[in-house]
Amino acid sequence: MVASFLVLVEEMHYGRAAVRLHMSSSALTKRIQRLERQVGVPLVERDSTGVLAVTSAGRRFAIAAAPLIVQANAALKSAQAKPARYTLRVGMPAGGGAMLGHFDMTRIARDVRRSFPEVRLMLQNVPFSALTRCLPEHQVDVLWNIAPVHHPAVESFPLPITSPRIGVVAARHPLADAGTMNVEDFSEQPMLYIPAVAEEWMNQFWLADVRSRREARLVETESEDVIGVLRSIVEGKAVIAAVAHIAPLLGSGLRSVTLTGAAPLVYYVACRRTDRRAAVHALVEAFEAVGPPPSAVGPCDGDMSRRLRP
C-alpha cells in the first residue's frame, strides 16, 4: 500500500497511477483508503476527474516512507539472492592425508552443508614449519593437527578421536622385527628431530614425554612433510614415534613397532580467535561431533573427494 501511495504522489492522478501499478482506479482508491485508515489521517484529496492534492500529512508521510521502501526492496532482493559460493581451507600437516581417513569426513561435510550449502571445503597441505603461523597469516581457515597451536591469535579444540603411538623404523633397522617393545626402550634410539617445527608438535614424535631433551639422541632433519620424514627413516638416519594412523603410508622400506606404555595422541582442530564466520564455527563443531568413519574406505564422499586432496 505504501509503495502504491508513493506512485500516486508522483503521478498526482489516480488513472495514471493505476496504469503504472497494473490495476484499476477503483482498486487503487480502495488501497489508498485502507492506508489512510491505518495511518489515521487523510493523505490525499481527490476531485471528480481523478486529479488529487496531497495533504500536508500525506507529504510528510511520503518523505518519510520513500527511503523505507528502498531499504525494504533491497532487503527483499538480498533475501532472494542465492548466497555466493566460497571456500573454507582446511589445513593439515603436509603429506598426512591418509590419516584424515580416520575421521568421518562425509558426515563433517554433510553437517556443514546443512546450514551452509554455499560452502566448499578444500584440504590444504601445510609445511611442518608453517603449522603455527598458517592460521594467523590466513593461509588456511581451520587447521587439523595432532597438537594444539600455541599462538595468542589461535584457539584449539581437542577432538574425540585419539591414536596410539607406534615406532617407525627402516626395514633394515635392528628393531624392524621387534613387533612390540616398551616405549622407554624405543626412546633410547636416535630420534628424528625437525628444529623448524614448534616444540608442542615436534615433542610428541621424539617422545619428550618419556625422555628429556638432555637424555634424548636427536638427529636433525629439514623435512617439511610426512613423506620427507619417512624418506629420512628409510635412509637409516634415525627412527621416530608416530600416530598409528600413519600405517597406510608405510612402504616396503619401513616397519612399524607397537609401543607399549605410550600415551595416545589427541587430534585437535584450530581456528583464529577473531574469525566470527558462522561457517567456520560450524566446521569446528562438525569436527568436534564426529566419530570414526563407518568404514576404513577413503576419507571423503564423491563431492569432497574432488576437493579434499592433499
Side-chain angles (χ1 to χ4, degrees), residues 10-26:
E10 289 179 9
E11 294 294 339
M12 296 299 289
H13 189 280
Y14 269 92
R16 292 193 299 270
V19 170
R20 279 183 57 182
L21 293 169
H22 305 288
M23 61 193 312
S24 66
S25 296
S26 60

Side-chain angles (χ1 to χ4, degrees), residues 42-206:
L43 300 176
V44 297
E45 295 175 353
R46 180 186 183 188
D47 64 18
S48 58
T49 64
V51 178
L52 60 86
V54 182
T55 66
S56 58
R59 286 193 295 272
R60 292 193 301 271
F61 183 78
I63 292 172
L68 297 180
I69 292 297
V70 172
Q71 292 177 14
N73 288 334
L76 180 62
K77 290 180 180 179
S78 176
Q80 293 175 340
K82 291 184 178 179
R85 292 181 66 83
Y86 64 96
T87 299
L88 290 182
R89 298 158 298 171
V90 182
M92 62 165 295
M99 293 181 284
L100 198 58
H102 292 271
F103 284 76
D104 189 350
M105 292 304 299
T106 299
R107 174 179 163 186
I108 289 175
R110 185 177 64 245
D111 288 351
V112 173
R113 290 174 185 149
R114 185 177 295 119
S115 300
F116 303 95
E118 70 277 14
V119 170
R120 297 184 304 163
L121 302 180
M122 181 176 69
L123 186 65
Q124 182 169 319
N125 280 304
V126 178
F128 290 169
S129 59
L131 287 171
T132 299
R133 69 174 189 270
C134 64
L135 278 166
E137 293 181 359
H138 293 257
Q139 297 174 20
V140 298
D141 302 296
V142 169
L143 177 66
W144 171 83
N145 201 358
I146 54 171
V149 178
H150 291 180
H151 191 286
V154 177
E155 188 169 12
S156 300
F157 306 90
L159 300 179
I161 297 180
T162 61
S163 174
R165 276 188 285 186
I166 60 172
V168 180
V169 304
R172 62 179 183 272
H173 193 278
L175 298 179
D177 298 320
T180 300
M181 67 184 302
N182 185 278
V183 66
E184 293 185 358
D185 295 333
F186 186 81
S187 69
E188 294 177 356
Q189 299 294 316
M191 308 287 291
L192 280 180
Y193 174 75
I194 307 173
V197 173
E199 291 297 312
E200 64 270 14
W201 192 78
M202 192 68 238
N203 286 354
Q204 306 187 66
F205 295 95
W206 62 265

Side-chain angles (χ1 to χ4, degrees), residues 233-309:
I233 299 173
V234 171
E235 294 170 354
K237 294 181 179 179
V239 303
I240 200 169
V243 292
H245 293 160
I246 204 175
L249 296 177
L250 303 184
S252 59
L254 296 167
R255 298 289 186 272
S256 64
V257 179
T258 300
L259 301 179
T260 60
L265 293 182
V266 178
Y267 288 99
Y268 286 81
V269 66
C271 65
R272 289 181 292 277
R273 292 183 184 275
T274 56
D275 198 332
R276 299 291 181 244
R277 289 176 295 171
V280 169
H281 291 277
L283 179 56
V284 169
E285 291 172 3
F287 264 105
E288 290 180 307
V290 78
S295 65
V297 221
C300 313
D301 62 10
D303 184 46
M304 293 283 284
S305 64
R306 293 193 295 273
R307 296 189 175 102
L308 294 188
R309 286 179 179 170

